[in-house]
Amino acid sequence: RQIQNTHTGLDLSVPEYQEIRGKMMSGHVEYHIVVVTRLAAFKSAKHKPEDVVQFMVSKKYSEIEELYHRLTARYPQVSLPLLPRKVLFVGESDISERRAMFNDIMKFISKDEDLAMSPELLEFLGTKSSSAVDFKGKNVPDDRKKGDEENEALDFFKEEKTPDLISQLLSVKNVKKGEEKEEGDEEEEEILDPLGIIRY
């Protein structure tokens, strides 16, 4: 793809969002920020200087809001487009309106040379973290990685986390009991562990 902002070497847009459903009623929205750039910070050693790279990062409202405040604090002379307001319950229309406003903000940032080159933005888009540039994740030499895997295989007694379900059941049970006195740990073990595995 051709870069539109040739003076900054960076195009940003927010073409879509995705709702991430959590447990019960929880969940959040991630806004997909598409980055098209020829800035060296986003390239690996294999790229040529004229190469254009394209990738996408997903960010929550709070992460975009944090970047916004960091940029306005550092560059007070720049008047960024308005940030969508915070609301407690977000409906479908709010989300698409937010996406459009985030799109305006990102387009504005990518046109401004100071903002496009700012360490805040580069960090936000993942040049320091491994997410944007290095898709493998860890920058660990292969032999060290192998060693880690072997150690993992040998460690039979790795502590396993008990499923979250148990703590949820306990808290529900305790809520039901209210202020009543609890009837000893043994009974709880019986209920949660009919085979007696935990005790032995």
Side-chain angles (χ1 to χ4, degrees), residues 1 3 24 79 90 96 113 130 157 184:
R1 240 183 76 177
I3 290 186
M24 310 291 274
S79 52
V90 188
S96 52
E113 283 185 58
S130 57
F157 303 104

Side-chain angles (χ1 to χ4, degrees), residues 49-131:
E50 66 277 8
D51 283 351
V52 171
V53 291
Q54 179 172 336
F55 60 93
M56 187 192 81
V57 289
S58 295
K59 297 288 181 183
K60 294 189 282 198
Y61 177 94
S62 56
E63 294 171 298
I64 299 174
E65 180 187 35
E66 188 193 339
L67 170 74
Y68 187 92
H69 292 311
R70 286 176 71 191
L71 289 175
T72 49
R74 184 166 196 176
Y75 305 99
Q77 74 283 6
V78 177
S79 52
L80 280 165
L82 283 175
L83 189 70
R85 60 195 168 81
K86 244 185 186 155
V87 284
L88 196 56
F89 295 105
V90 188
E92 199 70 39
S93 61
D94 298 314
I95 298 171
S96 52
E97 188 182 316
R98 277 183 175 185
R99 184 210 60 77
M101 290 175 87
F102 286 148
N103 190 48
D104 292 344
I105 291 168
M106 291 300 158
K107 281 192 180 315
F108 183 92
I109 290 172
S110 59
K111 285 188 173 92
D112 184 290
E113 283 185 58
D114 289 336
L115 299 178
M117 305 291 180
S118 69
E120 289 83 358
L121 180 71
L122 297 181
E123 188 181 333
F124 173 80
L125 295 176
T127 53
K128 287 204 182 108
S129 73
S130 57
S131 57

Side-chain angles (χ1 to χ4, degrees), residues 179-195:
E179 298 303 309
E180 277 178 45
K181 212 167 169 232
E182 286 185 35
E183 294 164 26
D185 292 342
E186 274 191 28
E187 191 196 292
E188 273 176 20
E189 267 186 24
E190 295 287 320
I191 291 167
L192 295 171
D193 184 26
L195 298 176

Side-chain angles (χ1 to χ4, degrees), residues 144-155:
R144 267 203 20 221
K145 232 186 242 179
K146 269 189 209 125
D148 289 350
E149 280 165 22
E150 279 165 24
N151 291 345
E152 273 176 32
L154 293 172
D155 188 1

